[in-house]
Amino acid sequence: MSPLVRRRASRRAVRRLSSGLASILKATAQFGEAASRQGQKTLREARKTVKPPREPAPGRAPGRFVEIDGLRVHYIARGRGRPVVLIHGNGTMAEDFAISGLLDQLAERYRVIAIDRPGFGHTERPRHRIWTAAAQARLVERVLDQLNVRNPVILGHSWGTIVSLALATRAGRDLRGLVLLSGFYYPARRADVAMITPLAIPGVGDAVRSLMPSTIGHLLAPHVFRHVFKPQAVPARFKARFPVGISVHPTQARASAEDTATMNAAVALLQDHYADLRLPVAILSGDADAVVDPAEQSQRLHGAVAGSTLTILPGQGHMIHYAARAKIGRAVDAVMAARAKSLHWL
């Protein structure tokens, strides 16, 4: 083939490639415009029927702060006596324990401290650190040391149970016992993990969150709340007081995505240590939990932890700290009264 023919063929190939790229870009633009128009239409229709709830200003913190290596950690403290530390789940914050009434109930006889985990509520989540469950447990440990908390009962809910167990398996940490609510303890196939993992990737997740108006988060929040509370109705006090604006803020959305994406890895690292636990452990779960399978998680943990107690609550969903406060209070009392030395380990 002569040089002239090769040059002409090359020019034709470039023109065809350019034409094809132009067609793809045009089609993509048209699809984007159509999707945008449909999204705006859906959003306008949703706004007519759903009004975002009013809430306190995001900067108004209900508790206090302690600084750990330059990181401001928010906590709520009430009551006096022997210490009980509350660690919340994913997507929520320490204030959830106050709204449920559990914090005040326990504060009638204990010193209760509810801590905002990194990125949730009013606690920061610096990007230069990878916030694994072990890293969050170390932070909780530092907070407790600074607040002069010794030998506490640790109560964790949902993702907070992972941090609780990470804290319990750390060498040298003296705990009185654990109360674990609606927990996740073993790796499992979960659709939410597969769906949200891309949002945990630095840059990618930030770009997606920056394109999503805060109104969308407000509109989706009621659906999420109904799911985590079902089969119970979402309590009126939760609707009135829960700070939705903080829970859908990009910082907390990033924290939720990262914790969801790493939960299987976190429990995979912990599960071989469950049999070595030598402290009182109370496990509570609702048999109608739509978020975590109690048979796959709580019952299995009970079989692995010698001396543990298991309470399955009939008809209860994931948010048992709202509907079963009395039973949770009795579980805390039992763990507080138990002595590890008096338990018989297998």
Side-chain angles (χ1 to χ4, degrees):
M1 182 182 293
S2 68
L4 178 61
V5 174
R6 282 199 299 269
R7 283 196 299 272
R8 288 177 176 174
S10 178
R11 285 195 293 269
R12 284 197 298 270
V14 171
R15 284 196 297 269
R16 285 197 297 270
L17 178 59
S18 300
S19 177
L21 288 172
S23 298
I24 293 172
L25 291 172
K26 182 178 179 181
T28 302
Q30 290 173 343
F31 176 80
E33 292 173 1
S36 178
R37 288 195 299 271
Q38 181 60 40
Q40 291 173 1
K41 179 182 177 182
T42 302
L43 185 57
R44 286 195 301 270
E45 292 175 351
R47 282 171 172 167
K48 294 177 182 178
T49 57
V50 180
K51 185 178 180 180
R54 297 181 62 186
E55 62 210 21
R60 195 174 299 167
R64 306 171 185 173
F65 290 90
V66 61
E67 189 168 309
I68 306 294
D69 295 334
L71 173 62
R72 296 179 77 236
V73 180
H74 176 255
Y75 68 97
I76 303 172
R78 306 224 179 120
R80 294 181 179 179
R82 291 173 293 178
V84 178
V85 177
L86 311 182
I87 304 178
H88 64 82
N90 200 4
T92 182
M93 60 200 74
E95 196 169 351
D96 181 46
F97 289 117
I99 297 170
S100 72
L102 180 63
L103 193 154
D104 285 334
Q105 172 185 302
L106 294 174
E108 293 176 359
R109 52 194 183 278
Y110 302 116
R111 178 190 180 193
V112 186
I113 300 168
I115 300 173
D116 275 339
R117 296 192 291 108
F120 296 92
H122 299 273
T123 296
E124 303 163 349
R125 191 177 179 105
R127 287 180 178 272
H128 66 272
R129 294 185 61 181
I130 300 175
W131 290 102
T132 62
Q136 295 187 39
R138 287 193 293 272
L139 179 65
V140 170
E141 192 173 42
R142 296 284 304 280
V143 171
L144 298 183
D145 286 343
Q146 190 151 327
L147 296 178
N148 196 30
V149 174
R150 299 288 180 265
N151 200 24
V153 168
I154 305 292
L155 182 151
H157 173 250
S158 194
W159 215 96
T161 62
I162 305 176
V163 179
S164 301
L165 285 164
L167 189 61
T169 56
R170 282 180 58 77
R173 170 49 61 179
D174 189 15
L175 305 179
R176 185 174 290 272
L178 299 177
V179 177
L180 306 174
L181 312 179
S182 306
F184 185 79
Y185 313 111
Y186 297 94
R189 288 188 176 184
R190 293 179 62 94
D192 56 346
V193 173
M195 291 174 60
I196 208 166
T197 295
L199 298 180
I201 300 173
V204 176
D206 295 322
V208 173
R209 285 185 288 272
S210 68
L211 294 172
M212 183 177 293
S214 61
T215 312
I216 297 295
H218 280 283
L219 295 174
L220 293 176
H223 301 284
V224 175
F225 298 153
R226 284 196 292 271
H227 177 69
V228 297
F229 273 99
K230 74 177 183 181
Q232 282 71 48
V234 180
R237 62 184 180 279
F238 182 91
K239 294 179 181 178
R241 295 175 54 190
F242 188 76
V244 180
I246 296 176
S247 69
V248 302
H249 188 275
T251 299
Q252 182 151 323
R254 175 171 63 89
S256 295
E258 291 175 355
D259 282 0
T260 300
T262 59
M263 60 194 298
N264 272 325
V267 294
L269 292 171
L270 286 171
Q271 61 181 346
D272 291 340
H273 300 284
Y274 297 156
D276 299 328
L277 290 174
R278 293 293 182 267
L279 75 172
V281 178
I283 306 164
L284 295 90
S285 184
D287 68 357
D289 192 328
V291 179
V292 178
D293 184 345
E296 186 181 61
Q297 300 294 334
S298 293
Q299 292 181 17
R300 185 178 173 187
L301 180 69
H302 174 52
V305 179
S308 64
T309 62
L310 174 64
T311 303
I312 299 296
L313 304 168
Q316 293 294 316
H318 192 64
M319 304 290 276
I320 58 176
H321 53 300
Y322 280 80
R325 291 194 309 276
K327 290 186 178 180
I328 294 170
R330 287 195 289 272
V332 171
D333 293 342
V335 169
M336 190 68 77
R339 295 290 180 184
K341 292 180 181 179
S342 68
L343 299 176
H344 300 285
W345 309 111
L346 300 178

